[in-house]
Amino acid sequence: MPKYRKLSHTFYHCTYHIVWTPKYRFKVLRDMVADAVEDRIRAICEWKEVEIMELSIQPDHVHLVCSIPPKMSVSEFMGILKGKTAIMLFKSYTSLRKKPYWGNHFWSRGYFVSTVGLDEEKIRSYVKYQEGEDRKEDGTQDLLF
């Protein structure tokens, strides 16, 4: 059973697999740059109450499996994440300001996102089971509609 998270009036399981790349997929996420990106991602996720389940920084892309609260859209989260990490990188590593990162754009414009949900068959059987249980409780089990 997945770990559900809680807000004041909401229980949720909103897990996403997100992948994004540096501009032109240059292999610049190595050594100190990769460590700095990882530290900033972890800090931003803590600030925005996003739970990191897996984080992998490869030389030319980043994989993140995380749980984002339903009060925040994935695109809003990615805008903050990519923006804040790019600003930090350009301040810390001035050599990245030179070509090929024209206009202070470190990350490519897009990203990949996929939901990581519960197994569809398990949900269907759970819903069917619950319907049967509800009918048993309210005594409508034998009624045909």
Side-chain angles (χ1 to χ4, degrees):
M1 199 72 187
K3 180 182 169 190
Y4 290 96
R5 298 189 66 204
K6 183 180 185 288
L7 295 172
S8 60
H9 299 285
T10 308
F11 284 94
Y12 66 95
H13 177 75
C14 300
T15 306
Y16 302 94
H17 174 211
I18 307 170
V19 182
W20 69 101
T21 64
K23 196 169 186 182
Y24 305 118
R25 204 154 182 163
F26 286 128
K27 297 179 186 289
V28 294
L29 300 175
R30 300 177 190 269
D31 306 320
M32 293 187 309
V33 174
D35 293 341
V37 168
E38 180 175 350
D39 290 345
R40 184 53 57 130
I41 290 171
R42 290 188 183 282
I44 292 168
C45 287
E46 185 176 330
W47 170 46
K48 290 297 182 180
E49 299 175 339
V50 172
E51 180 184 1
I52 296 175
M53 294 160 174
E54 295 292 333
L55 175 61
S56 174
I57 299 178
Q58 302 300 311
D60 65 344
H61 66 282
V62 179
H63 283 271
L64 175 63
V65 178
C66 62
S67 177
I68 301 173
K71 64 184 178 181
M72 178 185 304
S73 70
V74 176
S75 63
E76 177 186 358
F77 172 67
M78 287 306 295
I80 293 167
L81 192 66
K82 289 167 73 175
K84 297 289 186 189
T85 55
I87 290 168
M88 177 272 305
L89 286 170
F90 287 133
K91 282 183 179 177
S92 301
Y93 303 96
T94 54
S95 62
L96 294 175
R97 286 183 170 262
K98 299 175 185 170
K99 287 185 179 179
Y101 299 104
W102 301 280
N104 288 339
H105 296 289
F106 181 81
W107 300 109
S108 61
R109 290 181 68 193
Y111 57 90
F112 165 84
V113 62
S114 175
T115 56
V116 179
L118 302 172
D119 181 64
E120 182 181 348
E121 283 303 314
K122 287 182 183 175
I123 293 172
R124 286 179 182 218
S125 65
Y126 173 77
V127 170
K128 285 181 184 176
Y129 173 78
Q130 283 303 116
E131 183 179 329
E133 289 299 306
D134 288 346
R135 285 187 179 189
K136 282 181 190 175
E137 284 180 21
D138 66 11
T140 60
Q141 164 176 3
D142 297 329
L143 299 176
L144 296 174
F145 293 98

